[in-house]
């Protein structure tokens, strides 16, 4: 897992520890402002959470989103490059998971598209709280 921008310690996040925080996880980042991460476009949805985490397997969108967040002086955001099928979160620790165009954009070269999707959903089910919200866009 590669951190871009603020570190987990800088935003008060210990990903592996159980903490009573409301966490919003976006999987799959767009790198431009108008279609970019949901933190820039749906502030009301994200503002109900203590921490926003953006995760993408590609480095470029993670770096760009981090720069945009710094320019906008967003302090409760963390951007990570990593595998959405194996996130750094403990079981039942995330309140909201948002998949933005993830299912239609990427297929895994080692797995068929259905296998990739089912692994994403399995991981989402593992990390989302029992009363959590899963948004697929």
């Amino acid at each position: 897992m590669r951190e871009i921008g603020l570190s987990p310690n800088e935003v008060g996040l210990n990903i592996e520890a159980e903490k009573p925080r409301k966490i919003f996880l976006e999987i799959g980042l767009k790198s431009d402002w108008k279609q970019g991460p949901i933190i820039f476009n749906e502030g009301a949805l994200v503002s109900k959470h203590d921490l926003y985490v953006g995760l993408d397997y590609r480095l470029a969108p993670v770096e760009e989103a981090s720069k945009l967040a710094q320019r906008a002086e967003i302090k409760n955001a963390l951007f990570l490059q990593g595998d959405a099928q194996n996130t750094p979160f403990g079981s039942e620790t995330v309140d909201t998971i948002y998949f933005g165009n993830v299912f239609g954009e990427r297929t895994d070269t080692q797995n068929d598209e259905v296998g990739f999707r089912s692994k994403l959903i399995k991981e989402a089910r593992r990390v989302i709280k029992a009363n959590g919200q899963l948004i697929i866009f």
Side-chain angles (χ1 to χ4, degrees), residues 30-45:
K30 297 280 189 193
S31 59
D32 65 84
W33 189 273
K34 290 185 180 182
Q35 294 182 10
I38 197 168
I39 192 170
F40 303 119
N41 299 305
E42 297 293 335
L45 177 62

Side-chain angles (χ1 to χ4, degrees), residues 24-32 35-41 52-63 65 78-85 87 89 96-106 116 120 135-137:
F24 187 103
L25 172 61
E26 179 173 4
I27 297 176
L29 302 173
K30 297 280 189 193
S31 59
D32 65 84
Q35 294 182 10
I38 197 168
I39 192 170
F40 303 119
N41 299 305
Y52 165 91
V53 179
L55 177 68
D56 201 296
Y57 74 98
R58 302 163 299 162
L59 181 58
V62 172
E63 289 178 332
L78 176 66
F79 297 92
L80 303 172
Q81 179 189 20
D83 182 2
Q85 297 174 40
T87 70
F89 293 96
T96 303
I97 299 174
Y98 176 85
F99 287 106
N101 297 317
V102 173
F103 292 111
E105 289 190 356
R106 180 173 184 250
F116 170 74
L120 286 178
I135 303 167
I136 300 174
F137 183 72

Side-chain angles (χ1 to χ4, degrees), residues 3-131:
E3 302 159 17
I4 307 297
L6 298 175
S7 73
N9 291 335
E10 290 173 306
V11 293
L13 173 68
N14 180 352
I15 291 176
E16 296 176 5
E18 299 282 336
K19 287 195 169 197
R21 311 189 85 181
K22 288 197 70 155
I23 298 174
F24 187 103
L25 172 61
E26 179 173 4
I27 297 176
L29 302 173
K30 297 280 189 193
S31 59
D32 65 84
W33 189 273
K34 290 185 180 182
Q35 294 182 10
I38 197 168
I39 192 170
F40 303 119
N41 299 305
E42 297 293 335
L45 177 62
V46 176
S47 68
K48 298 175 186 174
H49 298 78
D50 300 312
L51 179 68
Y52 165 91
V53 179
L55 177 68
D56 201 296
Y57 74 98
R58 302 163 299 162
L59 181 58
V62 172
E63 289 178 332
E64 184 61 27
S66 179
K67 289 176 191 174
L68 291 172
Q70 288 174 352
R71 278 188 236 136
E73 298 182 3
I74 297 170
K75 303 291 185 201
N76 66 333
L78 176 66
F79 297 92
L80 303 172
Q81 179 189 20
D83 182 2
Q85 297 174 40
N86 185 25
T87 70
F89 293 96
S91 296
E92 297 186 28
T93 56
V94 177
D95 297 275
T96 303
I97 299 174
Y98 176 85
F99 287 106
N101 297 317
V102 173
F103 292 111
E105 289 190 356
R106 180 173 184 250
T107 59
D108 193 309
T109 57
Q110 296 178 341
N111 300 306
D112 61 55
E113 191 170 338
V114 174
F116 170 74
R117 291 174 181 170
S118 65
K119 287 179 182 179
L120 286 178
I121 295 297
K122 182 178 179 182
E123 180 66 0
R125 290 180 68 192
R126 183 187 71 78
V127 302
I128 200 162
K129 291 180 180 177
N131 61 346

